[in-house]
Amino acid sequence: NAGVMQNPRHLVRRRGQEARLRCSPMKGHSHVYWYRQLPEEGLKFMVYLQKENIIDESGMPKERFSAEFPKEGPSILRIQQVVRGDSAAYFCASSSFSGRLPIADTQYFGPGTRLTVL
Amino acid sequence: DAKTTQPTSMDCAEGRAANLPCNHSTISGNEYVYWYRQIHSQGPQYIIHGLKNNETNEMASLIITEDRKSSTLILPHATLRDTAVYYCIVRALNRGRKLIWGLGTSLAVNP
């Protein structure tokens, strides 16, 4: 049973370019979460998506960042016009939500994409 | 979500039990305690979670005090590969799904 997959594992961009990070959730999981980890810091929540819906984007920067999780295919985190401060590790997690109480949907993480902005 | 407090770092001898404490004195009745670890710069790895009862799986045991204000993650026979940062997270599942991460405990398992 394949785990959460992310690609690319490493991405190098020059300032002003676009970065596209992909996440394929575990089989049977329809909930995807994106987190960012800056060097020497803890993980910070960015966005939570279900198929074709953004549920919580309270951690997303207001500009340049967007996320989607289409009906078919992986979830995409897109960063436009990257700046050096975007250099970080971006982790995707997925979960399955049973809808029953008590709810305990565990999030399983991918290996991350390390973005370096030159 | 309730705030958690963990020691910054701990050491453990290889083969011995590693006991990692976590304080969550403001935890609410509907909040679960989750433990993850991050080895070097890899993706976080889920370890275990619990609500009020003690839990055990193939990786670890989770002991939650009766008042639920603190918990301990136990790695029964630590190995060098258990060297990692361990995160204790308290999560109210009916108030959104995001995990709020602190700085965790950096566990060093020594030969």
Side-chain angles (χ1 to χ4, degrees), chain A residues 69-80:
Chain A
F69 189 17
K71 186 176 181 181
E72 301 292 336
S75 174
I76 306 287
L77 179 67
R78 183 183 177 203
I79 311 172
Q80 295 178 291

Side-chain angles (χ1 to χ4, degrees), chain A residues 19-96:
Chain A
R20 281 184 180 241
L21 289 63
R22 294 175 185 77
C23 170
S24 296
M26 287 178 68
K27 186 176 181 181
H29 286 190
S30 59
H31 301 252
V32 166
Y33 314 79
W34 286 92
Y35 293 83
R36 177 167 67 174
Q37 186 172 34
L38 295 170
E40 307 303 322
E41 294 188 14
L43 278 77
K44 295 286 195 293
F45 168 79
M46 299 181 74
V47 63
Y48 160 44
L49 310 101
Q50 295 177 24
K51 286 282 188 181
E52 300 184 280
N53 285 303
I54 297 175
I55 307 302
D56 180 358
E57 55 182 349
S58 59
M60 285 279 270
K62 296 288 184 246
E63 297 177 347
R64 302 187 297 107
F65 285 72
S66 62
E68 63 177 8
F69 189 17
K71 186 176 181 181
E72 301 292 336
S75 174
I76 306 287
L77 179 67
R78 183 183 177 203
I79 311 172
Q80 295 178 291
Q81 299 176 320
V82 296
V83 301
R84 289 216 173 107
D86 297 332
S87 294
Y90 293 81
F91 293 100
C92 166
S94 73
S95 74
S96 61

Side-chain angles (χ1 to χ4, degrees), chain A residues 31 96-106, chain B residues 30 32 34 51 93-94 97:
Chain A
H31 301 252
S96 61
F97 171 38
S98 69
R100 296 172 295 160
L101 291 173
I103 304 166
D105 57 326
T106 299
Chain B
N30 65 342
Y32 282 77
Y34 278 80
L51 183 61
L93 296 174
N94 61 349
R97 311 222 156 270

